[in-house]
């Protein structure tokens, strides 16, 4: 069945897809949910795709939702990448994490603590930065002032 045929039924796993769309700690799961929802042209699936396109913190997910909506025949505008600070008060969050570690901690220890304490922040920037994530985070870590 092509993307262009109207379907009135919902996917059997619709409730799971709906939960996946809202999981802030896993942008890949949200991306997979968007891709799957694009196979179903119903009011409910289109609303979820519009929600993702408008509000997801990871640009790749917003862009995928946009592509799915276009394929379903919806008249939507391409989302713009958000400003650098994808998560409010990112630097404050990172400073708190750095302060909580011993003075001579390594970047790897910082990265692991960030992942444990704020997976949402870690996941958002990992999704937005892609291959540049580690370089970006390490540079930021080295510049953070704790006193």
């Amino acid at each position: 069945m092509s993307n262009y045929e109207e379907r009135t039924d919902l996917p059997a796993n619709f409730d799971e897809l709906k939960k996946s769309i809202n999981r802030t700690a896993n942008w890949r799961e949200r991306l997979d949910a968007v891709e799957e929802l694009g196979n179903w042209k119903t009011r409910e699936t289109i609303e979820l795709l519009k929600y993702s396109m408008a509000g997801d913190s990871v640009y790749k997910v917003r862009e995928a939702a946009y592509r799915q909506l276009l394929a379903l025949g919806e008249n939507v505008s391409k989302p713009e990448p958000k400003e650098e600070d994808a998560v409010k008060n990112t630097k404050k969050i990172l400073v708190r994490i750095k302060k909580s570690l011993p003075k001579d901690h390594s970047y790897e220890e910082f990265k692991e603590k960030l992942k444990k304490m704020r997976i949402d922040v870690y996941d958002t920037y990992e999704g937005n930065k892609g291959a540049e994530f580690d370089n970006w985070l390490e540079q930021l870590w080295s510049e953070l002032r704790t006193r």
Side-chain angles (χ1 to χ4, degrees), residues 35-134:
E35 297 294 340
E36 190 167 341
L37 286 167
N39 294 320
W40 302 82
K41 187 173 181 177
T42 67
R43 183 183 54 77
E44 293 90 344
T45 57
I46 288 171
E47 289 304 313
L48 280 178
L49 289 169
K50 285 180 178 178
Y51 171 79
S52 287
M53 187 185 84
D56 200 279
S57 59
V58 175
Y59 184 67
K60 291 175 190 169
V61 176
R62 290 195 316 272
E63 194 174 38
Y66 163 75
R67 284 192 314 275
Q68 293 296 340
L69 286 164
L70 280 182
L72 292 173
E74 293 296 307
N75 183 17
V76 290
S77 299
K78 187 171 183 176
E80 295 293 321
K82 290 184 179 176
E83 295 301 313
E84 187 66 26
D85 205 11
V87 177
K88 189 176 178 180
N89 297 320
T90 298
K91 283 202 177 178
K92 284 183 180 181
I93 293 165
L94 298 179
V95 165
R96 274 191 216 117
I97 291 169
K98 188 170 183 173
K99 281 181 172 181
S100 73
L101 291 164
K103 189 172 185 152
D104 60 346
H105 70 273
S106 68
Y107 163 68
E108 288 301 322
E109 290 171 314
F110 172 78
K111 183 179 168 184
E112 280 307 307
K113 184 126 187 200
L114 171 61
K115 196 185 248 186
K116 286 179 184 172
M117 288 181 68
R118 291 298 304 265
I119 187 67
D120 60 323
V121 174
Y122 184 94
D123 188 74
T124 296
Y125 285 104
E126 182 198 30
N128 282 331
K129 301 288 181 187
E132 294 298 312
F133 173 70
D134 268 321

